[in-house]
Amino acid sequence: MTAIDLSSPVAVVGAGTMGQGIAQVALVAGHPVRLHDALPGRAREAADAIGARLDRLVEKDRLTAADRDAARARLTAAESLADLADCALVVEAVLERLDVKQELLRELEEIVADDCLLATNTSSLSVTAIGGALRHPGRFVGLHFFNPAPLLPLVEVVSGYATDVSSATRAYETARAWGKTPVACADTPGFIVNRIARPFYGEAFAVYEAQGGDPATLDAVLRESGGFRMGAFELTDLIGQDVNESVTHSVWESFFRDVRFAPSLAQRRLVESGRLGRKTGHGWYDHGEGAAAPEPHTAEPAQPPAYVTAEGDLGPAAELLALIREAGVQVREDDEDHGTRLVLPGGGQLALADGQTSVEFRDVVYFDLALDYRKATRIALSASQDTSPQTLSEAIGLFQALGKDVSVLGDVPGMIVARTIARIVDLAHDAVAKGVATEEDIDTAMRLGVNYPLGPFEWSRRLGRNWAYALLDDLHLRDPSGRYAPSLALYRHAYASDKREGSTS
C-alpha cells in the first residue's frame, strides 16, 4: 500500500494549533487541503495564519515564493463537513473528548467515500474507542503529530484493535511522504512517547518530594550529567503543568492506576494553585518579569585526594579511571574482587548509584550516572548523615579535579539520572514484550519525540544487559510499593544474558 497521491485532497477538522500545523504539513507536501472548524470563521482565520507562516518560510529561504503561492492556492477553508466529501484522508484534531470525536466521525462516515482514510491526532484517548463509533473502523488510524507539527519530525502511527493493516500502512507511507519520520505502534495508553517518558518527570518529582534535591539542582544534573536537553521541572513549566499532569493522569487511569505511572502530589498542588508554568508566570520556577534565574546547588571547592584505590572496573563509569589519571590523581588497583568502587584515602568508598542508600553502609558516597563522564559538566553525589565529612569532601574534591561542578543530593537510592534511565529502559522492554512497538521504533520515538540523547535500548546496550534490572531490583527492596518492580520482560532480558555466560546465579 502506497502513500496517498498528492493530487488527492486532504482535510483537517479542527483549526487550533495542532490542526493548523497538520494542515500546513500536508499543504507544503503538495496536497490540496481543506480546513474545517465548527466555530464559524475559525477555518478562514486559521488559513490566513497558515499563509502568514508560509510568508515567514519564504523570508527564511525555506520555501520559494512560487511554492508559497501554489500552496496558498491549494488551501481552502471549508464551511461545512459536506465540503470534505472527495477527500482521500481526513484528520480530526478537535477537543480531546471521546464523545466529541466519536460524533464527528459518525458524521464524516456519512459524507466521505468508503475508501477515505480517517485519522485522529489524539494524544491521550484510545484510538480503538474513538473508532468504535464507526461502521467501518478498519479504515481508522491514529496519526499523532507532535507540536509544532511543521517542525517536529515524529509521527506515531497508531493501529486500533480494528484497524486494517492496509490502512495503517497507507497512513505510515503518507506520513513518510510528507517528510516525517513515522513509527508504528499498537493502541496502548500513551502510545510510545507518552508511555515511556513518564519516569523522566515522575522520578524527578519523587526525588523532590523526598527532599533529595531542589528543582534547579535536579534539572541541572539531568542536563549536565544525564545529557537531556532540559530538566523535568523546566520542561513541564514550558509544556504547562496542567497539560503534563493531565497526560500523566490519563496514562495512570488507563493502566488501571498502575503505581508505575502514578501522578505527583507536588505537581497536583502546583496545578491547584494555578501555577501552571510559563503561561501563568509561575510554575516550579518564577517566570515573572525580572525574576532571577534559579541557581543549582554547587559544592564549595574541596581538596582532591592524592590517590584512589580502584576495586573493579566501575562498570558503566569505567571511563572515570582514565579521567582521574589525567587529572593527576594516582589510581591504585586492587586485584581482589570487592566489587566496582573507589576507595578514598580516608577509607571511605565512592560507588556508582545502584539502588542502595548510603545509610546502609559504614562510609559510602554514591555518584550518579552520566551520559558521558568526559563531557559531563556536573556530577551529583549523595551521602547520609552518617557519612564522614572527610569522605564527602574527598569525593567532592575528586570530581572537581576532573573539572566538574558537584551537586550533593540527599541519600536518594538510585540518585536521579540512574533511576530515571533504569525505569525508562524497563518500560521500553515491557512495551516491546507486549507488542506495542519494535526496539528500533521506540528508540526513534524517544529521540525525536522528546529529544532524549539516546533511545532506551541504546542506553541499555551501553550500560549492560543486567544494569537496569539490578538497580530496579535494589530500589524495589527499599520501596516495595511496586513502582520500581522490574518487569518480567526486563528480568528475562537480564537472565538470558547470565544464562548465555554460564551463570547459575
Side-chain angles (χ1 to χ4, degrees), residues 143-411:
L143 276 177
H144 181 216
F145 289 77
F146 287 73
N147 191 31
L151 297 180
L152 295 186
L154 185 70
V155 177
E156 292 177 319
V157 181
V158 187
S159 293
Y161 185 79
T163 301
D164 292 335
V165 172
S166 59
S167 297
T169 302
R170 194 179 189 199
Y172 184 99
E173 293 301 332
T174 298
R176 186 158 65 177
W178 290 358
K180 295 301 181 182
T181 302
V183 292
C185 65
D187 183 22
T188 183
F191 310 142
I192 297 174
V193 173
N194 281 331
R195 171 179 179 152
I196 294 174
R198 292 349 295 161
F200 178 73
Y201 313 106
E203 292 311 303
F205 299 162
V207 172
Y208 167 76
E209 290 174 344
Q211 300 187 55
D214 61 277
T217 300
L218 295 173
D219 275 351
V221 174
L222 285 166
R223 287 194 313 270
E224 299 174 40
S225 184
F228 292 97
R229 188 166 297 182
M230 298 180 75
F233 298 90
E234 58 188 337
L235 180 55
T236 52
D237 264 4
L238 176 63
I239 295 169
Q241 299 302 331
D242 53 338
V243 174
N244 181 261
E245 193 213 25
S246 177
V247 173
T248 298
H249 197 274
S250 174
V251 172
W252 176 59
E253 289 282 4
S254 297
F255 276 112
F256 308 105
R257 301 196 170 188
D258 186 331
V259 69
R260 295 177 302 164
F261 302 101
S264 160
L265 180 59
Q267 187 180 41
R268 174 95 292 261
R269 292 293 179 258
L270 271 186
V271 174
E272 290 174 339
S273 68
R275 294 188 169 191
L276 306 183
R278 292 189 183 183
K279 62 186 176 183
T280 62
H282 208 303
W284 296 110
Y285 302 116
D286 183 355
H287 299 281
E289 186 176 352
E295 291 291 334
H297 165 75
T298 301
E300 294 295 325
Q303 192 70 24
Y307 69 91
V308 295
T309 302
E311 297 182 346
D313 63 3
L314 298 188
E319 65 182 318
L320 276 176
L321 296 178
L323 297 180
I324 293 170
R325 291 187 178 98
E326 291 169 16
V329 177
Q330 181 185 3
V331 177
R332 302 175 180 177
E333 296 186 7
D334 186 339
D335 293 332
E336 294 186 30
D337 186 13
H338 295 295
T340 55
R341 60 196 177 194
L342 296 174
V343 179
L344 299 164
Q349 299 175 27
L350 185 60
L352 177 62
D354 59 5
Q356 301 182 86
T357 59
S358 294
V359 76
E360 299 171 53
F361 303 97
R362 184 182 63 82
D363 200 9
V364 171
V365 171
Y366 280 104
F367 64 93
D368 210 345
L369 182 69
L371 172 67
D372 183 327
Y373 283 100
R374 184 173 293 277
K375 294 181 180 178
T377 57
R378 184 178 298 271
I379 295 293
L381 305 180
S382 73
S384 76
Q385 66 271 24
D386 296 329
T387 303
S388 75
Q390 179 183 352
T391 295
L392 182 57
S393 178
E394 288 176 343
I396 292 171
L398 176 64
F399 281 104
Q400 289 175 340
L402 308 187
K404 318 297 184 186
D405 288 328
V406 176
S407 293
V408 180
L409 306 180
D411 188 12

